[in-house]
């Protein structure tokens, strides 16, 4: 990466997100601030409906804030047009959601290689990188399997490989183990921690206290603001 340790790689300044409806508006995020350093791993917890997914989507440029700024690396995501935003996201962010969102027609290898091909690597380079990642994620026997032949934990590991292949600055994860039993959840997280590059930061939204406790810093999202747990 192009950042030394301790450098801020992702920051949100004065983020508000408001949804308007016929019944009036609802503010989910209220003048929220957040800063993430290179290599820092944080968890965000909070009640259902507190806006954790909304916050993650705004941080990742998948959703735009009503007001405020999101800076990723040296770019202000708020001002990028859709094309530039997609490109910047593809290079610098990895996303893992509760549902793996794997396409049924692609093997594990093809699914993980795809973001690297989109980023301009040759098919051969992308496949080699994908294989290396999947082996490190314990899936060497599953490279050519499609999702219907993979267990829940295996599918989530494929999704993690796909999120990591472009060596993003930051991984954004929304309940990535939410559909897994506790033992599988713990093994998926342990594997992920082994495979994530030193300089890769991550933000994980989780209901699981054990997963939250395994990160450097925990925040609670409450009343549209982040409160750091000490």
């Amino acid at each position: 990466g192009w950042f030394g340790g301790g450098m801020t790689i992702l920051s949100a300044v004065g983020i508000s997100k408001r949804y308007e409806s016929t019944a009036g508006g609802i503010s989910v995020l209220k003048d929220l601030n957040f800063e993430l350093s290179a290599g820092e791993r944080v968890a965000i917890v909070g009640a259902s409906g507190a806006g954790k997914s909304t916050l993650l989507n705004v941080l990742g440029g998948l959703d735009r804030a009503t007001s405020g700024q999101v800076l990723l690396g040296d770019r202000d995501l708020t001002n990028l047009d859709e094309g530039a935003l997609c490109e910047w996201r593809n290079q610098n962010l990895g996303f893992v959601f509760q549902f793996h969102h794997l396409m049924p027609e692609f093997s594990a290898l093809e699914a993980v290689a795809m973001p690297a091909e989109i980023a301009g690597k040759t098919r051969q380079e992308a496949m080699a990188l994908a294989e290396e990642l999947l082996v490190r994620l314990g899936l060497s026997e599953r490279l050519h399997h499609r999702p219907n032949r993979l267990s829940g934990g295996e599918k989530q590991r494929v999704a993690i490989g796909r999120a990591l292949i472009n060596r993003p600055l930051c991984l954004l994860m929304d309940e990535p183990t939410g559909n897994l039993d506790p033992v599988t959840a713990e093994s998926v997280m342990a594997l992920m921690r082994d495979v994530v590059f030193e300089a890769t930061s991550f933000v994980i939204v989780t209901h699981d206290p054990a997963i939250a406790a395994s990160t450097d810093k925990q925040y609670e999202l409450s009343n549209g603001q982040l409160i750091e747990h000490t």
Side-chain angles (χ1 to χ4, degrees):
W2 25 278
F3 279 109
M7 287 267 320
T8 299
I9 57 150
L10 179 64
S11 63
V13 185
I15 292 293
S16 296
K17 180 70 180 175
R18 214 176 140 71
Y19 292 101
E20 300 300 338
S21 74
T22 46
I26 177 165
S27 290
V28 185
L29 308 173
K30 303 169 190 166
D31 199 22
L32 176 147
N33 297 307
F34 174 70
E35 207 164 89
L36 186 71
S37 307
E40 186 178 32
R41 282 96 198 256
V42 309
I44 296 176
V45 299
S48 242
K52 300 183 298 295
S53 297
T54 302
L55 173 59
L56 214 54
N57 288 341
V58 167
L59 290 176
L62 296 174
D63 191 3
R64 293 192 188 258
T66 308
S67 57
Q69 261 184 321
V70 176
L71 304 161
L72 171 64
D74 56 1
R75 305 279 174 95
D76 180 346
L77 300 189
T78 329
N79 297 332
L80 292 183
D81 66 53
E82 210 49 48
L85 181 60
C86 284
E87 194 177 322
W88 195 242
R89 233 177 14 223
N90 173 260
Q91 288 165 11
N92 297 293
L93 288 178
F95 295 92
V96 185
F97 300 101
Q98 180 170 352
F99 300 102
H100 49 78
H101 296 296
L102 298 174
M103 292 185 248
E105 64 273 27
F106 294 112
S107 69
L109 203 53
E110 291 166 332
V112 173
M114 203 175 297
E117 288 184 69
I118 291 168
K121 291 215 165 20
T122 66
R123 180 151 184 94
Q124 204 174 356
E125 287 172 319
M127 286 298 213
L129 279 174
E131 182 163 353
E132 188 190 328
L133 258 178
L134 285 166
V135 168
R136 292 180 66 193
L137 286 162
L139 293 169
S140 51
E141 306 293 301
R142 299 281 186 274
L143 300 178
H144 302 290
H145 288 181
R146 291 182 181 180
N148 63 350
R149 296 186 53 204
L150 299 172
S151 72
E154 287 166 347
K155 284 185 244 205
Q156 240 3 6
R157 282 184 275 159
V158 172
I160 288 165
R162 177 181 60 186
L164 282 172
I165 191 155
N166 288 339
R167 296 193 79 139
L169 286 173
C170 179
L171 276 182
L172 297 175
M173 299 184 276
D174 196 353
E175 297 282 1
T177 57
N179 279 358
L180 308 175
D181 64 83
V183 177
T184 308
E186 189 35 58
S187 77
V188 166
M189 284 308 293
L191 264 169
M192 196 207 75
R193 282 193 287 274
D194 289 345
V195 174
V196 168
F197 310 104
E198 277 307 297
T200 310
S201 312
F202 67 68
V203 178
I204 182 167
V205 162
T206 182
H207 276 114
D208 186 331
I211 289 172
S214 70
T215 59
D216 303 327
K217 218 185 243 180
Q218 291 88 44
Y219 293 91
E220 182 172 0
L221 183 60
S222 177
N223 292 324
Q225 303 253 315
L226 279 179
I227 301 134
E228 189 180 335
H229 284 202
T230 43

